[in-house]
Amino acid sequence: MALMLKGARLVDPQVGLDEVADLLIDEGKIARVGNGLDAEGAEVRDMAGKIIVPGLVDMHVHLREPGYEEKEDIASGTRAAAHGGFTAVCSMPNTDPVTDDAEVVGYILKRAKEVGKCKVWPSGACTKDLAGDTLSEMGHMYALGVRAFTDDGHGIQDSGMMRRVMDYAAQFDCVVVAHCQDNGLVGEGQVNEGVVSTRLGMLGWPAEGEELEIARDIALSRLTGTPLHIQHISTARGLDLVRAAKAEGLKVTCEVTPHHMFLTEDAIGDDYPTALKVNPPLRTAEDAAALIAGVADGTIDAIVTDHAPHTAWEKDREFELAPFGMTGLETSLGLVLTNLVGKGVIDMNRLVELMAVNPRAILRQEPVRLEEGSAADLTVIDPSAAWTVEADGFCSKAANSGFIGWELTGRASDVYVDGVATLEAGNVVE
Amino acid sequence: MAFSHKHLIDITEYSADDLMLILETAKRFKEVNERRIKKVPTLKGFTIVNMFNEPSTRTRSSFEIAEKRLSADSLNFGGSSTSTVKGESLVDTVMTLCSYKIDLIVVRDKHAGVPRKIADVSGVSVIDAGDGKHQHPTQALLDLYAIWEKKGGFDNLHVGVVGDIGHSRVCGSLVPALKTMGCEVTLIAPPTLLPARPDVLGADHVSCHIDEVLPELDVVYMLRIQRERLEGAPYPSLREYNRLYGLTREREHLMKPDACICHPGPINRGVELDSYMADHPERSIILDQVYAGVLVRMAALYLLLGGSNDGLDA
């Protein structure tokens, strides 16, 4: 049966739409957009006061399946995605076995179809076993729809190997996605090198360890012509490198996480909070301010979460032994609405670019537009919902968020994937 | 004077008054240690766990002596016998120990932040006996005691700390403690052995030239070159280190006549300190530091466990 979403503010910069109107869904697609649509034969849902946008995409998510199902699996991770307002995620390949061949990609796609609550676009490893020395079977994975290749987690250390990856990838319509980390400089670094590493007596993870690899990979993108996407950018100077690459006309994009924008190294107190141990580390307040400016001025293309679930016991231990990463799927939209839109840093149109339009474009996926014929992948936002981030409020198996206790305004109330509700009134639809 | 601390983990949480109270208390315990029967019943009935998860000789033995002289019951736990070796988590280990109804944990661990973690999960008093590259507060206290006794106070003292600052938990506590007591502090080290932000520790000056700084110093604190904690090689050879930063007999003429020498031990003779300086009868207070270790640890245990004055005076 057709579904009429009535009276919401529809925002889609792709079609120049920002007005209150009705939206009719039929057979998984947007059938009509307009005022006073005839609802005959359709189920009508009153969306007054809500905002409907093209379905949000998180292009940096660790679903942990196969291999680490105690942390998260495709069922729980995609529920967390739906709960957070997302219609699609790009999963990272550091699974066990590593997502470096068609078999593992096929497994993820099959599981996502069986138990998933959003679309899952697996990324593939650039190198076999993420070891950085042998090319993965990119062509096999490409044939299954993989459009992003990454050695997320530590990056490709050898410059020659990175060049080989980018050269080889140039034959496919894909993007090479780079985790920028020079292990020679980073070593066993735990926190940003500087004030916090000195205060807490731990090895530093210097900004330069990230910036050097950003510079290297931009140079290799120039050399090979292969599109490059920089993951979780965290430093002001790293962002300047991307800014310059874009001005030069290179095919370079980048992403930022809410935690690198809204948390800084100053939050890492003497209680050694392992929830704030992330890679790259939380940087300085100046870096965070530069990232927010980059989101506003267009240098940053996408907001992602780097959703990295871990079990409670893995994080409840010595800081230096705890794994890197925090969850993010269920807090990202609320954080962005509260701290960027609510404070006037960006408007809803820009949010849609950052969280829906650009991720699809970077990942070479069909665009979703609020217009007739487009897939009905939609996120309905309640912009006035006030809520508090709580450890027991997540659909994710994990609660290692750095934002527990934060008071936010705005969240997803409903989500539709191909016209089917995955979230209704804030609850995942089973 | 009120002493309100439950833990001795972060020396920066201690005021000058707190630190002076510990030193004054330690001085009173010195009298106990000079007796033929070096024992008071002060902490009778208290149970203390010495949890040493990495090797330690003098810190561990001095805590044990301090506990015995205060009549506490103590359990030595750690090393190769730790259940951590069998894969138990730190939290589980601590919870297990706490089930024995203990009163205080003295902890040494190679990971920064472990004492705070133990304090958070255990609820008992915790003394940090050295955590990773972070802090070693009782070392700072014994250093303060030895300097205080030698110099009679801290006013207008200029202390130079020489050596592996960046990898030193000793520095992590000593430098802030010296600043709290009003000293001027200069760090002297090759750039490869400095922390990213020496100012965060509280240092007033940083120098790579010991000969330029030595004439200013009242206390020369030589750090051990911690070969076991140096990732990579931050200096080309021990002999070059000795030439550029070692406190050698040839450098004595640069020192103030009454400047004294400290070292946390164990000494690498011929590297950071030559034997002439290490054993210098007027200048070296290295063995006084070792003795002070027992005194300040007795004082800290006593104050943290709220021991009675009766016990002290007995």
Side-chain angles (χ1 to χ4, degrees):
Chain A
M1 187 168 72
L3 184 66
M4 167 80 82
L5 305 182
K6 201 165 181 57
R9 174 184 166 201
L10 308 182
V11 178
D12 182 2
Q14 301 167 101
V15 293
L17 181 67
D18 186 353
E19 61 187 49
V20 174
D22 305 334
L23 187 149
L24 185 69
I25 301 171
D26 195 19
E27 295 186 342
K29 296 200 180 302
I30 297 172
R32 287 196 66 190
V33 178
N35 275 304
L37 294 185
D38 179 5
E40 192 175 316
E43 180 187 341
V44 178
R45 293 192 188 165
D46 180 14
M47 294 290 178
K50 305 280 175 62
I51 303 171
I52 298 180
V53 299
L56 304 183
V57 177
D58 187 346
M59 64 178 292
H60 193 147
V61 170
H62 297 271
L63 290 178
R64 303 295 191 208
E65 184 179 354
Y68 304 101
E69 289 85 352
E70 73 279 12
K71 298 172 192 266
E72 193 83 283
D73 57 26
I74 289 170
S76 64
T78 56
R79 275 161 181 75
H83 192 219
F86 294 98
T87 56
V89 298
C90 177
S91 63
M92 291 297 114
N94 59 339
T95 49
D96 183 19
V98 168
T99 314
D100 61 2
D101 62 22
E103 283 70 29
V104 183
V105 170
Y107 172 84
I108 294 169
L109 291 172
K110 175 172 159 284
R111 289 293 292 162
K113 201 165 188 176
E114 288 168 358
V115 301
K117 282 290 166 192
C118 69
K119 293 177 179 174
V120 176
W121 301 322
S123 63
C126 299
T127 68
K128 275 189 182 151
D129 230 13
L130 297 170
D133 48 37
T134 312
L135 287 173
S136 66
E137 292 173 327
M138 289 188 208
H140 281 178
M141 293 189 276
Y142 184 82
L144 288 181
V146 172
R147 295 293 178 267
F149 294 97
T150 178
D151 276 13
D152 180 42
H154 42 72
I156 295 169
Q157 294 303 309
D158 183 80
S159 304
M161 187 67 215
M162 186 62 171
R163 185 214 171 142
R164 193 168 304 124
V165 164
M166 295 185 76
D167 264 338
Y168 190 76
Q171 66 187 302
F172 309 115
D173 176 26
C174 71
V175 59
V176 170
V177 177
H179 171 118
C180 293
Q181 168 176 334
D182 180 331
N183 280 347
L185 281 174
V186 173
E188 296 297 310
Q190 302 289 314
V191 291
N192 189 36
E193 179 173 306
V195 173
V196 68
S197 66
T198 304
R199 178 163 53 80
L200 296 181
M202 294 193 288
L203 290 174
W205 195 135
E208 288 75 8
E210 180 173 344
E211 292 152 1
L212 270 182
E213 284 227 347
I214 293 174
R216 180 198 76 174
D217 291 349
I218 288 171
L220 292 175
S221 177
R222 183 189 295 114
L223 177 67
T224 61
T226 299
L228 172 71
H229 177 75
I230 307 289
Q231 295 182 300
H232 42 47
I233 197 159
S234 73
T235 82
R237 286 188 302 271
L239 192 60
D240 285 340
L241 293 167
V242 173
R243 197 172 273 127
K246 290 185 164 198
E248 190 187 331
L250 299 178
K251 289 179 274 186
V252 175
T253 54
C254 73
E255 65 184 33
V256 69
T257 70
H259 53 266
H260 288 116
M261 286 189 283
F262 308 135
L263 293 168
T264 69
E265 62 170 6
D266 303 329
I268 304 175
D270 296 344
D271 57 341
Y272 291 77
T274 56
L276 303 185
K277 179 176 176 179
V278 289
N279 186 16
L282 301 181
R283 303 286 189 191
T284 66
E286 292 74 27
D287 287 312
L291 297 176
I292 290 172
V295 162
D297 72 18
T299 308
I300 290 174
D301 300 276
I303 293 174
V304 305
T305 66
D306 193 4
H307 179 79
H310 292 291
T311 63
W313 68 265
E314 287 173 302
K315 280 288 195 180
D316 187 19
R317 61 184 312 183
E318 299 90 332
F319 194 97
E320 290 163 316
L321 297 179
F324 287 99
M326 72 167 74
T327 57
L329 280 169
E330 293 166 87
T331 49
S332 181
L333 177 59
L335 287 163
V336 171
L337 286 168
T338 305
N339 295 294
L340 296 181
V341 180
K343 291 181 178 168
V345 178
I346 61 171
D347 62 12
M348 279 305 296
N349 282 281
R350 179 74 185 131
L351 179 146
V352 172
E353 289 173 357
L354 289 158
M355 298 183 76
V357 179
N358 296 345
R360 280 193 182 80
I362 294 165
L363 294 171
R364 277 83 183 146
Q365 300 294 329
E366 269 301 297
V368 169
R369 302 189 180 95
L370 298 191
E371 66 180 9
E372 190 179 323
S374 187
D377 290 359
L378 304 169
T379 301
V380 183
I381 296 168
D382 180 349
S384 58
W387 62 291
T388 304
V389 181
E390 285 168 353
D392 59 3
F394 296 127
C395 295
S396 170
K397 287 186 183 182
N400 53 302
S401 165
F403 295 101
I404 305 290
W406 280 46
E407 292 179 359
L408 304 178
T409 303
R411 65 189 308 175
S413 62
D414 303 80
V415 175
Y416 298 91
V417 177
D418 289 326
V420 176
T422 54
L423 186 78
E424 280 181 342
N427 297 309
V428 174
V429 178
E430 292 297 341
Chain B
M1 201 186 304
F3 185 84
S4 57
H5 295 280
K6 182 175 182 182
H7 309 294
L8 177 53
I9 292 175
D10 182 353
I11 202 89
T12 66
E13 293 172 353
Y14 279 61
S15 68
D17 284 347
D18 294 332
L19 296 177
M20 272 319 296
L21 178 62
I22 295 174
L23 300 189
E24 298 279 5
T25 308
K27 193 174 180 182
R28 293 171 71 193
F29 279 122
K30 185 173 182 181
E31 184 269 317
V32 171
N33 281 268
E34 306 290 334
R35 296 178 195 163
R36 198 170 70 84
I37 306 298
K38 306 173 187 62
K39 197 172 181 98
V40 287
T42 316
L43 293 185
K44 196 167 182 176
F46 286 97
T47 307
I48 296 169
V49 173
N50 299 312
M51 184 176 182
F52 280 70
N53 299 328
E54 73 167 13
S56 158
T57 309
R58 62 196 63 212
T59 302
R60 181 175 183 154
S61 52
S62 121
F63 265 109
E64 277 188 55
I65 288 174
E67 289 153 9
K68 287 182 164 71
R69 289 185 180 167
L70 290 168
S71 302
D73 296 313
S74 58
L75 169 72
N76 291 322
F77 180 92
S80 57
S81 71
T82 55
S83 39
T84 317
V85 173
K86 299 175 188 164
E88 186 176 52
S89 76
L90 174 73
V91 173
D92 285 340
T93 302
V94 170
M95 297 311 285
T96 303
L97 287 172
C98 287
S99 300
Y100 302 141
K101 304 296 174 201
I102 61 173
D103 300 290
L104 186 144
I105 296 174
V106 177
V107 59
R108 157 71 60 91
D109 199 283
K110 69 177 176 180
H111 296 296
V114 162
R116 176 71 65 193
K117 181 82 189 161
I118 291 177
D120 290 345
V121 302
S122 72
V124 305
S125 287
V126 173
I127 296 179
D128 178 358
D131 63 322
K133 303 171 203 23
H134 180 222
Q135 287 215 22
H136 192 354
T138 58
Q139 175 71 44
L141 288 171
L142 72 86
D143 297 334
L144 289 183
Y145 188 92
I147 292 168
W148 180 55
E149 217 176 36
K150 177 78 174 175
K151 292 291 182 184
F154 298 100
D155 289 345
N156 303 313
L157 280 189
H158 189 170
V159 181
V161 185
V162 187
D164 185 6
I165 320 274
H167 299 85
S168 171
R169 54 183 166 223
V170 173
C171 260
S173 293
L174 176 62
V175 175
L178 289 168
K179 288 311 299 172
T180 300
M181 300 315 294
C183 299
E184 185 176 356
V185 179
T186 299
L187 305 180
I188 302 132
T192 46
L193 291 179
L194 281 170
R197 290 284 299 270
D199 58 306
V200 170
L201 293 177
D204 299 292
H205 321 282
V206 175
S207 173
C208 299
H209 307 286
I210 189 170
D211 290 347
E212 291 174 9
V213 184
L214 264 184
E216 313 289 325
L217 302 180
D218 301 296
V219 178
V220 187
Y221 195 110
M222 302 304 295
L223 288 168
R224 170 183 168 75
I225 285 297
Q226 300 181 350
R227 303 178 218 205
E228 71 274 20
R229 234 190 301 287
L230 292 174
E231 290 80 4
Y235 48 85
S237 66
L238 293 176
R239 67 177 183 176
E240 176 154 320
Y241 182 84
N242 175 257
R243 179 174 171 174
L244 295 179
Y245 294 95
L247 191 59
T248 56
R249 182 172 194 163
E250 292 68 42
R251 288 196 157 106
E252 189 183 10
H253 75 279
L254 295 169
M255 297 172 73
K256 284 188 182 177
D258 60 347
C260 65
I261 300 166
C262 296
H263 191 291
I267 302 167
N268 295 303
R269 286 180 185 256
V271 183
E272 66 266 11
L273 207 53
D274 68 14
S275 286
Y276 170 83
M277 296 298 247
D279 304 329
H280 198 294
E282 283 84 37
R283 294 187 185 278
S284 173
I285 58 169
I286 295 171
L287 289 175
D288 301 312
Q289 290 174 271
V290 176
Y291 182 30
V294 174
L295 308 183
V296 300
R297 285 172 180 128
M298 288 177 77
L301 290 165
Y302 165 78
L303 290 167
L304 290 170
L305 290 174
S308 67
N309 272 318
D310 299 350
L312 179 53
D313 294 334

